[in-house]
Amino acid sequence: MAIYYPQVPPYMYAAEDNVPTGVIPELLDAFFAGQPYRLNYVYENRYRAELGLYDGKYDASVLAENWTLQPEELLFSQPIVAHRDYLFALEPFNRSGQNLPNKTICLRRHYIYSALQSQLERGELVRIDTESEFDQFNMLLNKRCQLAYMNEHVASWLINNRFASVNFYRQHQATDNADLTLALNSKWRNLKPRLDAFIREAQRSGVIDRSLARHMRKTAKP
């Protein structure tokens, strides 16, 4: 299982002993405890993790279907959580959302941002790549870009735990919505129904919601 480095709390990050923790590892640890396979985690960057899925170097990673280069080559699990992305700035957004063109925007290197692609291609937004969401906020704070764009849960975790004294403003409406899923190499086709059933039960019983709430607490330390 390839999980991203730099880390993405509350979804996946390293505990003090460098053991992966977060919503995704907790879910997978519980699932594989009842399967005849041993689960191994590898820290990897977003781009190499996806490429490793295609050639079988990795068996799984955290990806939404519309983030991938070759979605037809992979299997995608039952959605784990709703994934909503927002724009952030150091000053309020106007309600019309028309204050976006000709802005520099901090994004994560190797990430595909389908909701912003047309603005990026037209030059209405100028992309500045960073290594992590922490770097996005830090560069925004230091005025190295005018906008940052990231998942709502990751942003909330960072604001609570790393930028509590800063007033970041979030755009009123989400720019993109996706289902956060596990992407599997196609050789795991027979395992997928069991994994999907496990995820559905974890959602129904509130296991995932409780895990997310726990890892969102200010006491969490990546």
Side-chain angles (χ1 to χ4, degrees):
M1 172 73 186
I3 56 176
Y4 297 162
Y5 189 88
Q7 302 157 44
V8 190
Y11 298 133
M12 45 190 168
Y13 57 97
E16 292 182 1
D17 53 5
N18 209 39
V19 174
T21 189
V23 176
I24 302 300
E26 281 188 3
L27 182 72
L28 288 176
D29 288 347
F31 172 70
F32 278 100
Q35 302 299 320
Y37 306 104
R38 187 175 68 178
L39 176 62
N40 293 315
Y41 294 104
V42 177
Y43 290 112
E44 185 60 277
N45 75 36
R46 158 71 177 81
Y47 181 67
R48 289 195 295 266
E50 181 178 349
L51 293 185
L53 287 176
Y54 299 129
D55 63 20
K57 179 180 180 180
Y58 302 122
D59 297 300
S61 190
V62 180
L63 284 170
E65 185 171 356
N66 64 335
W67 301 344
T68 58
L69 299 170
Q70 302 174 56
E72 69 282 356
E73 297 295 319
L74 302 173
L75 305 173
F76 296 91
S77 73
Q78 171 82 10
I80 299 169
V81 295
H83 187 284
R84 296 187 298 182
D85 290 329
Y86 288 86
L87 289 164
F88 293 83
L90 293 177
E91 57 186 35
F93 291 88
N94 62 41
R95 286 283 173 180
S96 67
Q98 296 305 308
N99 57 343
L100 300 184
N102 305 312
K103 295 286 182 71
T104 52
I105 183 168
C106 280
L107 302 172
R108 271 196 77 155
R109 193 180 312 278
H110 304 308
Y111 276 37
I112 296 172
Y113 296 96
S114 54
L116 303 177
Q117 194 59 37
S118 60
Q119 293 101 313
L120 291 168
E121 290 176 351
R122 291 194 300 266
E124 294 175 1
L125 292 173
V126 178
R127 179 172 184 154
I128 299 176
D129 281 335
T130 70
E131 297 301 327
S132 69
E133 284 86 355
F134 173 84
D135 289 343
Q136 286 178 256
F137 268 164
N138 201 40
M139 289 176 68
L140 179 62
L141 182 61
N142 287 288
K143 302 187 187 310
R144 294 177 63 186
C145 53
Q146 296 163 288
L147 298 168
Y149 181 69
M150 68 185 75
N151 168 264
E152 61 179 324
H153 296 135
V154 177
S156 294
W157 191 96
L158 286 169
I159 291 169
N160 287 339
N161 290 276
R162 295 291 182 267
F163 296 94
S165 63
V166 181
N167 288 324
F168 290 113
Y169 293 92
R170 192 178 81 174
Q171 193 179 25
H172 305 291
Q173 300 293 327
T175 301
D176 195 19
N177 293 277
D179 291 322
L180 192 66
T181 60
L182 296 169
L184 309 175
N185 181 278
S186 59
K187 70 182 180 182
W188 294 102
R189 190 172 303 276
N190 291 337
L191 181 69
K192 183 179 178 298
R194 281 177 276 165
L195 176 61
D196 287 342
F198 188 86
I199 294 171
R200 283 193 294 269
E201 176 57 24
Q203 290 170 329
R204 186 201 65 77
S205 63
V207 167
I208 292 175
D209 286 342
R210 289 193 296 272
S211 177
L212 181 59
R214 186 169 61 256
H215 289 285
M216 288 290 290
R217 292 173 186 162
K218 290 186 180 182
T219 53
K221 295 180 181 180

